[in-house]
Amino acid sequence: MADYIMALDAGTTSNRCILFNKKGKICSMAQREFHQYFPQPGWVEHDADEIWASMLGVAVEAMNRIGVEAADIAAIGITNQRETTIVWDKETGEPIAHAIVWQCRRTAAYCDSLKEQGYVDSFRKKTGLVIDAYFSGTKIKWLLDHVPGARERAEKGELLFGTVETWLIWKLTKGAVHVTDYSNASRTMLFNINTLQWDEEILKVLDIPKCMLPEPKPSSCIYGETDPSYLGGPIPIAGAAGDQQAALFGQTCFEPGEAKNTYGTGCFLLMNTGEKPVFSRNGLVTTIAWGLDGKVNYALEGSIFVAGAAVQWLRDELRLIDSAEDSEYMAKKVKDTNGCYVVPAFTGLGAPHWDQYARGTIVGITRGVNKYHIIRATLESIAYQVHDVLVAMKADSGIDLTSLKVDGGASANNFLMQTQADFIQAPVKRPSCVETTAMGAAYLAGLAVGYWKDKEEVKENQEVDRIFTPELDEKTRKTMVRGWEKAVRYAYGWAR
Ligand code: G3P
């Protein structure tokens, strides 16, 4: 039996390859950031070729670091930034344009027109989603409408669509396999999560030819093998899931009612709701968690668009910190935010507000507010947003979480985790390995090829690093939350 499972984690700002062993331990890792393009305010793009090249690069690097060969790898699991939309030429493999990233707001007006035409309820029932520029469907339409000749070529079957996992599988198999997994398909706004098929009616409304769509498959199954020229031999690609669903799996939230929150570029709180979709009345979306062992698991999701990205903004745009890690130490230099609130609605607001036109704001600035207050307020804004989603989740599911499992890069920030526990008044549990997204993809792939026997065996790998328990008094907490709610209202509708 081969020793490792390779996880390819295609994130929003970087690509990573991690080699895991049977105990779920990281044996090798390589990471590369890639370019972010902002051609207009509110627009975000990636170069799909760069995503592919850097992913292949990190895969080779991770293998070389510990002298691993293709035969030592039992399978590859892929996890990815979801919704990001790539359309490419079936023959040449050339993308017809930059990938439109999930954060991109360019189709907001078209989404408004869909809402005005009365599609909100029918789309929700079929796809579990709210109509928003976030999801892939309207992004595909935009490309077909704006890239010269694209629609004709798509109709003739010359173009293919994929989210990032589809693109990477297609590239790794040298164009032999064009598939997506159910969890990623459920983020396109084109997929019927009840029937597990592309929805003909929605395709008609959005005028998207079905022939360009990938074949939807479970999240744990052998899709194909890597072309031997890439990694020194063929390796089965046996798992794929959107990064948030993969993290839910990696945190072993296998039972209904179990939930996790991932602090990445954005912040995504998902609760497993079992084998039946639960439709939200409080601004959450219903999504497919994974398809495994002939069954489909659903989840309720609160999608927050900007979390870790707000810390990057402090570093790269405001230049208040040199590294993301510094934010913890700087935030603790002051005892509070001095009445100031940062609302990082840089790309609109997701759950539970869903305002495509909201934009970032800082309120409550007085003469005494310094950079430490702004840094602290930015970290607090992440915890406030998660609190808002948790309130909605409780209302939808009737479940009051006894604790919150956390992961993702920013979960390493102890100040943020303590603040989170304070705001939600529940313990926050951080695992020893916060790479749960990659771990989830590895587990899905490993289960498909028998590297791990079953979910129970996978569960044995879970280890808790630290539990943060609430410390803040209730009166202060309520006052702070009220201030946040007032601040958010200033962000509403700004770009309309
Ligand atoms: O839906 C977008 C999400 O998949 C992006 O995740 O980790 O890059 O913030 P992340």
Side-chain angles (χ1 to χ4, degrees):
M1 164 70 89
D3 293 331
Y4 306 100
I5 296 285
M6 174 184 277
L8 299 179
D9 181 356
T12 307
T13 55
S14 71
N15 283 331
R16 250 165 337 158
C17 172
I18 301 183
L19 294 174
F20 288 99
N21 67 11
K22 215 155 179 235
K23 292 266 169 234
K25 294 270 179 279
I26 294 177
C27 301
S28 181
M29 167 147 83
Q31 172 166 3
R32 273 185 214 171
E33 292 208 355
F34 52 81
H35 288 99
Q36 308 289 314
Y37 298 87
F38 308 109
Q40 290 187 32
W43 289 32
V44 190
E45 296 180 353
H46 290 159
D47 176 347
D49 278 329
E50 190 189 355
I51 291 180
W52 157 240
S54 81
M55 188 54 101
L56 186 59
V58 291
V60 171
E61 205 179 313
M63 288 170 76
N64 289 345
R65 279 207 175 146
I66 53 166
V68 158
E69 294 183 357
D72 302 322
I73 299 171
I76 296 178
I78 300 182
T79 182
N80 55 291
Q81 50 159 322
R82 306 164 304 166
E83 300 97 15
T84 295
T85 298
I86 307 170
V87 174
W88 68 94
D89 185 297
K90 196 176 179 173
E91 286 307 314
T92 65
E94 239 176 84
I96 63 163
H98 272 173
I100 305 183
V101 176
W102 58 276
Q103 298 158 319
C104 188
R105 307 274 92 201
R106 78 183 63 182
T107 57
Y110 177 64
C111 289
D112 286 345
S113 76
L114 287 173
K115 290 182 203 161
E116 279 153 22
Q117 289 169 63
Y119 287 116
V120 173
D121 285 342
S122 64
F123 275 35
R124 181 192 293 280
K125 278 189 196 126
K126 287 159 179 267
T127 67
L129 306 177
V130 297
I131 296 176
D132 193 272
Y134 174 29
F135 305 107
S136 319
T138 61
K139 299 182 196 288
I140 306 175
K141 178 176 166 52
W142 191 95
L143 287 171
L144 297 183
D145 288 345
H146 292 83
V147 176
R151 185 169 297 286
E152 277 163 32
R153 288 165 69 198
E155 274 158 9
K156 280 198 255 159
E158 292 172 13
L159 299 183
L160 299 177
F161 152 75
T163 38
V164 175
E165 88 297 354
T166 300
W167 168 244
L168 291 175
I169 295 171
W170 193 84
K171 290 298 265 186
L172 282 165
T173 59
K174 273 214 170 148
V177 179
H178 186 224
V179 294
T180 182
D181 92 292
Y182 296 151
S183 73
N184 273 296
S186 74
R187 314 297 298 183
T188 58
M189 212 172 78
L190 307 174
F191 192 64
N192 189 316
I193 60 169
N194 309 293
T195 62
L196 305 180
Q197 280 166 356
W198 298 116
D199 192 274
E200 303 281 352
E201 251 178 275
I202 297 181
L203 291 179
K204 212 160 154 203
V205 174
L206 266 62
D207 200 9
I208 294 174
K210 195 174 171 187
C211 59
M212 71 188 297
L213 305 181
E215 184 190 349
K217 294 255 202 178
S219 317
S220 179
C221 68
I222 300 178
Y223 306 111
E225 281 185 344
T226 57
D227 187 88
S229 62
Y230 293 132
L231 300 171
I235 307 174
I237 306 168
D243 53 9
Q244 303 312 321
Q245 290 93 329
L248 190 68
F249 202 82
Q251 288 267 27
T252 67
C253 295
F254 300 147
E255 302 304 324
E258 292 190 295
K260 69 86 206 178
N261 187 44
T262 302
Y263 299 80
T265 307
C267 218
F268 299 86
L269 208 159
L270 271 75
M271 181 188 276
N272 186 339
T273 61
E275 287 171 41
K276 288 221 166 65
V278 173
F279 290 91
S280 174
R281 264 182 259 118
N282 294 284
L284 305 178
V285 299
T286 308
T287 204
I288 295 183
W290 50 76
L292 174 75
D293 295 338
K295 291 180 196 151
V296 166
N297 257 77
Y298 294 86
L300 266 176
E301 170 173 325
S303 332
I304 295 162
F305 297 154
V306 172
V311 181
Q312 285 178 340
W313 168 74
L314 290 176
R315 184 195 63 190
D316 302 337
E317 261 65 44
L318 298 193
R319 296 175 189 257
L320 295 183
I321 50 175
D322 290 333
S323 70
E325 294 74 45
D326 285 354
S327 63
E328 176 171 352
Y329 151 81
M330 305 269 243
K332 280 167 51 187
K333 271 182 161 289
V334 284
K335 66 174 188 353
D336 55 31
T337 67
N338 204 355
C340 128
Y341 288 86
V342 172
V343 184
F346 304 146
T347 54
L349 281 169
H353 313 279
W354 296 105
D355 182 346
Q356 307 194 90
Y357 302 99
R359 291 295 179 267
T361 186
I362 305 180
V363 296
I365 302 177
T366 50
R367 182 66 181 77
V369 167
N370 62 34
K371 70 171 183 174
Y372 304 117
H373 296 121
I374 292 182
I375 293 166
R376 188 174 177 116
T378 304
L379 290 180
E380 285 187 357
S381 77
I382 301 173
Y384 281 123
Q385 293 184 90
V386 173
H387 168 263
D388 290 350
V389 163
L390 215 61
V391 170
M393 194 140 305
K394 184 176 165 193
D396 272 337
S397 66
I399 297 171
D400 202 357
L401 279 188
T402 49
S403 67
L404 181 65
K405 291 182 175 181
V406 296
D407 54 63
S411 71
N413 187 314
N414 294 325
F415 169 78
L416 175 59
M417 292 303 101
Q418 183 56 52
T419 306
Q420 192 66 79
D422 288 341
F423 287 178
I424 65 172
Q425 297 166 285
V428 163
K429 276 191 194 166
R430 185 171 65 197
S432 304
C433 174
V434 290
E435 297 295 346
T436 47
T437 299
M439 210 171 214
Y443 287 156
L444 287 165
L447 286 167
V449 296
Y451 182 83
W452 286 288
K453 197 166 62 226
D454 52 25
K455 286 191 286 186
E456 290 317 305
E457 192 181 359
V458 156
K459 247 189 147 130
E460 287 165 18
N461 289 341
Q462 264 308 75
E463 269 174 27
V464 175
D465 160 48
R466 185 163 163 189
I467 301 178
F468 297 84
T469 46
E471 287 170 358
L472 192 66
D473 70 90
E474 186 53 9
K475 191 164 164 253
T476 314
R477 191 190 77 90
K478 275 201 172 138
T479 312
M480 290 173 79
V481 170
R482 259 201 307 274
W484 163 256
E485 284 164 358
K486 197 169 158 195
V488 170
R489 286 198 289 275
Y490 285 104
Y492 280 165
W494 183 260
R496 192 176 282 283

